[in-house]
Amino acid sequence: MAVDYAALKKGGFMRQKQKNNFSLRLQVVGGNLTAENLKKIAEVAEKYGDGHVHLTSRQSVEIPFVKLDDVEEVKAELAKGGCKPGVCGPRVRTVTACQGNQICPSGNIDTYDIAKKLDARYYARELPHKFKFGVTGCQNNCLKAEENDVGIKGACVVSYDEPSCIMCGVCVKACRENAITIEDGRLTLDTSKCNYCGRCAKACPTDAWKGESGYLVSFGGLFGNQICKGESFLPVIASEEQLFRVTDAAIQFFDDYANPSERFRFTLERVGIDKFKEVIKEAYNG
């Protein structure tokens, strides 16, 4: 009987070099799995695989050595533990994320919440080639946002309340960009140097620095046979509504202009980055 390998791959089952064996990629949104998920994955790996799993570079879990005859049983068994197969091929992949401000002291945004919303909005959408989103919480960039087709980085837009300041200098020491200085008893912020990390606001003992969360977005990142850093040209995005207008516009641009099997970066280079910037800035402005 002929095997529909394309359909299997679309459903997360990737062919192995061993005949009739598949490695099943699971959908792991934002790198989060529950204890229940982990128990079920272990059970399935023991029963249907060879007893081990692989943790991928994009926060997913793969169960290798699944036999062709067991594919449907494996999917049904995993569903009992709240696990779903992932996707491969030319479509939107699982969204990755760091732990964000719900756990990490440096985080400026709730990365897992954004990852879930992006996943609900785009996951498995058919496109000319694969498309990856990555969400990182701050300038520490643990998730390496600029390696993704669209990377989202948490920002903190700060403001200074002079009457609350005691000139302790903690913010000066906390700022890694040397954007804050104290001279002659007066504090100055050089906004051209500020990278929106928010370290000053987090370090200030008197709340003289106030911070508002936002998003910095990069486009056209690539990490594989060729490596390209995603480009950031928008100001800080202030709201989720504005963020999703921008991501909608980016993914639609790719869908409209990309050739089959062409990554987003190369579409931008072929069509013209200036044309793309016009579309994105229009979305940014609403």
Side-chain angles (χ1 to χ4, degrees), residues 11-247:
F13 288 88
M14 298 173 292
R15 293 174 70 177
Q16 290 183 207
K17 61 187 296 183
Q18 295 85 1
K19 188 175 181 180
N20 291 330
N21 281 265
F22 295 82
S23 187
L24 169 58
R25 178 176 297 166
L26 300 179
Q27 181 186 7
V28 181
V29 181
N32 279 17
L33 288 167
T34 66
E36 180 189 11
N37 296 154
L38 291 170
K39 289 175 186 175
K40 180 54 68 176
I41 291 168
E43 289 174 11
V44 170
E46 287 281 359
K47 184 175 180 180
Y48 297 98
D50 71 343
H52 90 280
V53 300
H54 173 67
L55 304 181
T56 75
S57 60
R58 287 191 59 81
Q59 300 181 326
S60 187
V61 175
E62 291 177 3
I63 304 174
F65 292 99
V66 174
K67 304 299 184 288
L68 180 61
D69 291 343
D70 293 332
V71 165
E72 294 305 320
E73 285 185 40
V74 165
K75 288 194 290 186
E77 193 65 27
L78 284 168
K80 295 177 184 177
C83 300
K84 299 178 182 178
V87 295
C88 305
R91 49 195 59 89
V92 178
R93 303 294 181 85
T94 302
V95 182
T96 56
C98 71
Q99 296 199 81
N101 67 5
Q102 298 302 294
I103 293 176
C104 178
S106 298
N108 292 320
I109 58 172
D110 187 342
T111 53
Y112 185 51
D113 181 64
I114 292 297
K116 288 190 295 183
K117 289 172 180 175
L118 289 168
D119 184 82
R121 201 174 187 94
Y122 306 119
Y123 179 65
R125 174 174 168 174
E126 300 287 335
L127 291 169
H129 206 338
K130 59 186 174 184
F131 199 93
K132 299 175 181 178
F133 288 94
V135 189
T136 200
C138 67
Q139 289 291 348
N140 289 338
N141 206 10
C142 297
L143 204 278
K144 304 177 181 65
E146 289 86 357
E147 291 180 1
N148 293 269
D149 296 286
V150 172
I152 298 168
K153 186 181 295 181
C156 181
V157 181
V158 297
S159 58
Y160 175 57
D161 179 36
E162 187 173 359
S164 301
C165 183
I166 57 175
M167 293 295 164
C168 64
V170 170
C171 59
V172 177
K173 294 177 182 178
C175 181
R176 295 174 176 174
E177 304 301 310
N178 298 315
I180 303 173
T181 56
I182 295 178
E183 292 183 10
D184 300 325
R186 187 171 183 81
L187 186 147
T188 303
L189 170 65
D190 185 345
T191 54
S192 67
K193 292 182 179 180
C194 179
N195 68 350
Y196 308 106
C197 70
R199 286 172 60 85
C200 55
K202 295 180 178 71
C204 182
T206 64
D207 292 330
W209 288 103
K210 312 292 184 185
E212 293 290 333
S213 294
Y215 311 92
L216 293 166
V217 183
S218 59
F219 306 93
L222 189 63
F223 195 89
N225 290 326
Q226 291 183 268
I227 298 174
C228 299
K229 182 180 178 181
E231 296 188 40
S232 300
F233 52 83
L234 290 177
V236 176
I237 293 174
S239 68
E240 284 188 17
E241 179 187 1
Q242 190 179 36
L243 174 67
F244 293 135
R245 286 205 309 265
V246 167
T247 56

Side-chain angles (χ1 to χ4, degrees), residues 263-276:
R263 289 297 299 272
F264 187 36
R265 177 74 184 200
F266 304 131
T267 302
L268 297 181
E269 292 177 352
R270 178 177 55 79
V271 176
I273 190 67
D274 290 339
K275 183 173 183 176
F276 176 69

